Amino acid sequence: MKQLLIAFLGSCIAMPVLYAQEMVTVTGKITVEDTGKPPVGIITLNEKGVADYLVFGDNIGTNRHTFMEKDGTFKFAVQKGGTVVIKVSGGRYLNPKPVANISEDTRLELQLKRNPKSSKSDEADKFEIDFNPYKRVKVTGRVLDNNNKPIGSATVYQRSINENGANAHTVTDKNGEFSYVVPQGSHISFGSMGFEYKHIKVVKDTALTVILESKI
C-alpha cells in the first residue's frame, strides 16, 4: 500500500500545473516545412489539459479550439499551464508534436512535415460546392429524442466530406442545447449512446432542432 501511495504521489508531481480560470493567448503561424507556405485544408488547434483530457470552455461544453486561417495564422485563448494539440485533416501532412505547459502569452511558429504515405499535392482539393475551410458559420440548437425530451451530453462533431475532419467538437448541456462555430459547408454529426447518428450539412448561420432515433 505504501509503495502504491508513493507511486501515485510521484505521478501527481509529474503532471503539468494548470491555473484555474487563468487564461493566456496563443498566436502564431503554420507553414509547410519544404515550401514555407501555409498548408491547405482544415488545421485545428485544440487545448488539452492534464491526463490527456480536453479542457472544456465556457460555451456549453465546447472544447477550446480554433481553426487555422487561409494565410496560416491562428489565435485563441487557453488555460494557463495547458497544452496545444495541432490536428491536421486530409492526410497531406503529419501532426506536429503538442506544445505543452503554456504559462504565458505565446507566439508559435509551426512547420508541418509532409506525410510520406500521401500522394496529395499542395493544390487544394476540389471541395464539394459550398465547402470553405476558411469561412466560419455558427450552428445553434437543441438535440432531442423521439419523445421530444432533451438529450444532455450528446456529442456534436464537425466533419467534411473531402477532408474528413473531426477534430473539433462540442457537447449539449442538460437541456440538450449547443452552440458551435465550424467551417462553412461542414457536415455536423450528432450522436449519443443508445441513439442513431444524424448528419446535417451547414452552409450558413443556422438554428436546428435535431431529433435522434433510439436504437432500441
Side-chain angles (χ1 to χ4, degrees), residues 59-60 62 136-142 156 170 177-186 188 190 200-210:
N59 190 11
I60 318 182
T62 304
R136 315 288 178 244
V137 295
K138 186 174 184 178
V139 188
T140 59
R142 299 184 74 196
V156 187
T170 189
E177 297 179 349
F178 66 92
S179 179
Y180 197 32
V181 176
V182 297
Q184 182 188 50
S186 290
I188 310 300
F190 300 85
I200 296 174
K201 180 179 178 179
V202 290
V203 297
K204 61 182 180 180
D205 291 349
T206 305
L208 299 170
T209 298
V210 180

Side-chain angles (χ1 to χ4, degrees), residues 40-59:
V40 298
I42 301 174
I43 311 294
T44 311
L45 295 96
N46 290 291
E47 178 191 16
K48 189 166 71 170
V50 297
D52 291 336
Y53 290 107
L54 288 172
V55 177
F56 287 152
D58 299 326
N59 190 11

Side-chain angles (χ1 to χ4, degrees), residues 73-203:
T73 60
F74 60 87
K75 178 180 180 180
F76 74 133
V78 301
Q79 189 175 4
K80 186 177 180 180
T83 295
V84 172
V85 180
I86 302 91
K87 294 292 186 180
V88 179
S89 298
R92 285 185 187 83
Y93 318 107
L94 300 174
N95 289 324
K97 292 182 179 180
V99 182
N101 194 24
I102 299 176
S103 58
E104 60 185 10
D105 291 349
T106 302
R107 179 173 175 81
L108 302 176
E109 297 290 338
L110 303 171
Q111 288 190 324
L112 301 184
K113 295 180 181 293
R114 294 188 184 279
N115 183 353
K117 297 181 180 180
S118 174
S119 60
K120 288 186 176 182
S121 70
D122 281 339
E123 295 297 321
D125 286 343
K126 293 182 179 179
F127 295 115
E128 60 182 303
I129 296 174
D130 297 326
F131 181 75
N132 185 341
Y134 309 115
K135 185 176 181 180
R136 315 288 178 244
V137 295
K138 186 174 184 178
V139 188
T140 59
R142 299 184 74 196
V143 178
L144 309 174
D145 64 17
N146 46 11
N147 293 314
N148 287 325
K149 293 183 178 180
I151 302 177
S153 299
T155 306
V156 187
Y157 285 103
Q158 170 266 327
R159 297 181 181 275
S160 70
I161 294 297
N162 299 74
E163 290 291 322
N164 194 29
N167 298 314
H169 70 274
T170 189
V171 295
T172 59
D173 66 8
K174 64 181 180 180
N175 298 314
E177 297 179 349
F178 66 92
S179 179
Y180 197 32
V181 176
V182 297
Q184 182 188 50
S186 290
H187 289 248
I188 310 300
S189 296
F190 300 85
S192 185
M193 186 175 295
F195 293 89
E196 300 288 347
Y197 274 88
K198 179 164 285 188
H199 311 285
I200 296 174
K201 180 179 178 179
V202 290
V203 297

